[in-house]
mmCIF file of all heavy atoms in Angstrom:
data_model
loop_
_atom_site.group_PDB
_atom_site.id
_atom_site.type_symbol
_atom_site.label_atom_id
_atom_site.label_comp_id
_atom_site.label_asym_id
_atom_site.label_seq_id
_atom_site.Cartn_x
_atom_site.Cartn_y
_atom_site.Cartn_z
ATOM 1 N N LEU O 170 31.649 58.676 70.541
ATOM 2 C CA LEU O 170 31.708 58.490 69.137
ATOM 3 C C LEU O 170 31.589 56.932 68.713
ATOM 4 O O LEU O 170 30.770 56.515 67.963
ATOM 5 C CB LEU O 170 33.029 58.960 68.628
ATOM 6 C CG LEU O 170 33.309 58.751 67.116
ATOM 7 C CD1 LEU O 170 32.344 59.433 66.199
ATOM 8 C CD2 LEU O 170 34.819 59.217 66.762
ATOM 9 N N ALA O 171 32.370 56.164 69.570
ATOM 10 C CA ALA O 171 32.413 54.677 69.258
ATOM 11 C C ALA O 171 31.041 54.119 69.564
ATOM 12 O O ALA O 171 30.576 53.180 68.813
ATOM 13 C CB ALA O 171 33.403 54.084 70.148
ATOM 14 N N THR O 172 30.304 54.542 70.698
ATOM 15 C CA THR O 172 29.070 54.090 70.941
ATOM 16 C C THR O 172 28.034 54.343 69.858
ATOM 17 O O THR O 172 27.175 53.525 69.522
ATOM 18 C CB THR O 172 28.527 54.595 72.372
ATOM 19 O OG1 THR O 172 29.582 54.281 73.299
ATOM 20 C CG2 THR O 172 27.254 54.012 72.801
ATOM 21 N N THR O 173 28.137 55.574 69.390
ATOM 22 C CA THR O 173 27.139 56.050 68.360
ATOM 23 C C THR O 173 27.356 55.288 67.051
ATOM 24 O O THR O 173 26.374 54.829 66.389
ATOM 25 C CB THR O 173 27.266 57.626 68.197
ATOM 26 O OG1 THR O 173 27.213 58.217 69.460
ATOM 27 C CG2 THR O 173 26.124 58.076 67.268
ATOM 28 N N ILE O 174 28.589 55.060 66.702
ATOM 29 C CA ILE O 174 28.878 54.270 65.440
ATOM 30 C C ILE O 174 28.342 52.865 65.599
ATOM 31 O O ILE O 174 27.833 52.238 64.795
ATOM 32 C CB ILE O 174 30.436 54.347 65.220
ATOM 33 C CG1 ILE O 174 30.781 55.689 64.770
ATOM 34 C CG2 ILE O 174 30.779 53.191 64.198
ATOM 35 C CD1 ILE O 174 32.310 55.897 64.525
ATOM 36 N N ASP O 175 28.648 52.285 66.820
ATOM 37 C CA ASP O 175 28.189 50.945 67.098
ATOM 38 C C ASP O 175 26.713 50.838 67.055
ATOM 39 O O ASP O 175 26.079 49.897 66.517
ATOM 40 C CB ASP O 175 28.700 50.512 68.533
ATOM 41 C CG ASP O 175 28.255 49.100 68.919
ATOM 42 O OD1 ASP O 175 28.869 48.167 68.242
ATOM 43 O OD2 ASP O 175 27.537 49.038 69.833
ATOM 44 N N LEU O 176 26.018 51.882 67.592
ATOM 45 C CA LEU O 176 24.545 51.837 67.712
ATOM 46 C C LEU O 176 24.035 51.845 66.170
ATOM 47 O O LEU O 176 22.989 51.219 65.974
ATOM 48 C CB LEU O 176 24.105 53.073 68.503
ATOM 49 C CG LEU O 176 22.642 53.313 68.624
ATOM 50 C CD1 LEU O 176 21.958 52.139 69.489
ATOM 51 C CD2 LEU O 176 22.350 54.618 69.513
ATOM 52 N N ALA O 177 24.552 52.697 65.320
ATOM 53 C CA ALA O 177 24.106 52.788 63.999
ATOM 54 C C ALA O 177 24.231 51.467 63.385
ATOM 55 O O ALA O 177 23.166 51.046 62.668
ATOM 56 C CB ALA O 177 24.958 53.869 63.212
ATOM 57 N N ARG O 178 25.249 50.732 63.587
ATOM 58 C CA ARG O 178 25.453 49.370 62.922
ATOM 59 C C ARG O 178 24.392 48.493 63.516
ATOM 60 O O ARG O 178 23.778 47.619 62.777
ATOM 61 C CB ARG O 178 26.879 48.915 63.299
ATOM 62 C CG ARG O 178 27.874 49.507 62.489
ATOM 63 C CD ARG O 178 29.109 48.715 62.355
ATOM 64 N NE ARG O 178 30.149 49.462 61.556
ATOM 65 C CZ ARG O 178 31.201 50.004 62.150
ATOM 66 N NH1 ARG O 178 31.374 49.919 63.406
ATOM 67 N NH2 ARG O 178 32.057 50.768 61.346
ATOM 68 N N ARG O 179 24.051 48.599 64.865
ATOM 69 C CA ARG O 179 23.165 47.639 65.456
ATOM 70 C C ARG O 179 21.702 47.783 64.930
ATOM 71 O O ARG O 179 20.932 46.909 65.073
ATOM 72 C CB ARG O 179 23.078 47.792 66.957
ATOM 73 C CG ARG O 179 24.346 47.224 67.666
ATOM 74 C CD ARG O 179 24.339 47.423 69.096
ATOM 75 N NE ARG O 179 25.723 47.033 69.674
ATOM 76 C CZ ARG O 179 25.860 45.878 70.110
ATOM 77 N NH1 ARG O 179 24.949 44.979 70.181
ATOM 78 N NH2 ARG O 179 27.065 45.594 70.581
ATOM 79 N N ILE O 180 21.416 49.045 64.504
ATOM 80 C CA ILE O 180 20.069 49.170 63.870
ATOM 81 C C ILE O 180 20.029 49.017 62.330
ATOM 82 O O ILE O 180 19.131 49.327 61.606
ATOM 83 C CB ILE O 180 19.435 50.570 64.235
ATOM 84 C CG1 ILE O 180 20.438 51.651 63.954
ATOM 85 C CG2 ILE O 180 19.115 50.507 65.742
ATOM 86 C CD1 ILE O 180 19.901 53.063 64.129
ATOM 87 N N GLY O 181 21.105 48.415 61.834
ATOM 88 C CA GLY O 181 21.210 48.089 60.449
ATOM 89 C C GLY O 181 21.672 49.312 59.476
ATOM 90 O O GLY O 181 21.386 49.199 58.315
ATOM 91 N N LYS O 182 22.090 50.329 60.076
ATOM 92 C CA LYS O 182 22.527 51.481 59.228
ATOM 93 C C LYS O 182 23.993 51.324 58.931
ATOM 94 O O LYS O 182 24.739 50.659 59.605
ATOM 95 C CB LYS O 182 22.196 52.849 59.938
ATOM 96 C CG LYS O 182 20.720 53.129 60.045
ATOM 97 C CD LYS O 182 20.106 53.492 58.699
ATOM 98 C CE LYS O 182 18.625 53.792 58.768
ATOM 99 N NZ LYS O 182 18.055 53.998 57.403
ATOM 100 N N THR O 183 24.478 52.137 57.934
ATOM 101 C CA THR O 183 25.868 52.128 57.618
ATOM 102 C C THR O 183 26.489 53.422 58.143
ATOM 103 O O THR O 183 26.183 54.498 57.455
ATOM 104 C CB THR O 183 26.061 52.007 56.100
ATOM 105 O OG1 THR O 183 25.357 50.774 55.689
ATOM 106 C CG2 THR O 183 27.529 51.948 55.682
ATOM 107 N N PRO O 184 27.182 53.580 59.135
ATOM 108 C CA PRO O 184 27.676 54.771 59.715
ATOM 109 C C PRO O 184 28.947 55.175 58.932
ATOM 110 O O PRO O 184 29.750 54.478 58.590
ATOM 111 C CB PRO O 184 28.087 54.415 61.141
ATOM 112 C CG PRO O 184 28.431 52.996 61.130
ATOM 113 C CD PRO O 184 27.610 52.382 60.065
ATOM 114 N N VAL O 185 28.927 56.556 58.622
ATOM 115 C CA VAL O 185 30.130 57.149 57.936
ATOM 116 C C VAL O 185 30.741 58.158 58.972
ATOM 117 O O VAL O 185 29.964 59.047 59.426
ATOM 118 C CB VAL O 185 29.819 57.865 56.594
ATOM 119 C CG1 VAL O 185 30.970 58.708 56.231
ATOM 120 C CG2 VAL O 185 29.495 56.827 55.664
ATOM 121 N N HIS O 186 31.874 58.046 59.413
ATOM 122 C CA HIS O 186 32.569 58.812 60.415
ATOM 123 C C HIS O 186 33.126 60.034 59.679
ATOM 124 O O HIS O 186 34.144 59.988 58.969
ATOM 125 C CB HIS O 186 33.568 58.178 61.135
ATOM 126 C CG HIS O 186 34.450 58.871 62.052
ATOM 127 N ND1 HIS O 186 35.654 58.435 62.681
ATOM 128 C CD2 HIS O 186 34.198 60.152 62.614
ATOM 129 C CE1 HIS O 186 36.170 59.391 63.403
ATOM 130 N NE2 HIS O 186 35.338 60.413 63.476
ATOM 131 N N VAL O 187 32.489 61.226 60.014
ATOM 132 C CA VAL O 187 33.062 62.451 59.295
ATOM 133 C C VAL O 187 34.047 63.045 60.288
ATOM 134 O O VAL O 187 33.783 63.354 61.389
ATOM 135 C CB VAL O 187 31.965 63.470 59.101
ATOM 136 C CG1 VAL O 187 32.449 64.775 58.383
ATOM 137 C CG2 VAL O 187 30.838 62.903 58.200
ATOM 138 N N GLN O 188 35.304 63.071 59.870
ATOM 139 C CA GLN O 188 36.403 63.411 60.814
ATOM 140 C C GLN O 188 36.647 64.843 61.088
ATOM 141 O O GLN O 188 37.087 65.206 62.196
ATOM 142 C CB GLN O 188 37.653 62.704 60.322
ATOM 143 C CG GLN O 188 37.561 61.207 60.222
ATOM 144 C CD GLN O 188 38.780 60.574 59.763
ATOM 145 O OE1 GLN O 188 39.875 61.012 59.969
ATOM 146 N NE2 GLN O 188 38.559 59.447 59.117
#
Side-chain angles (χ1 to χ4, degrees):
L170 175 64
T172 303
T173 309
I174 290 176
D175 181 69
L176 183 61
R178 290 206 179 99
R179 284 176 189 272
I180 53 174
K182 291 289 177 187
T183 305
V185 170
H186 173 195
V187 182
Q188 299 180 29

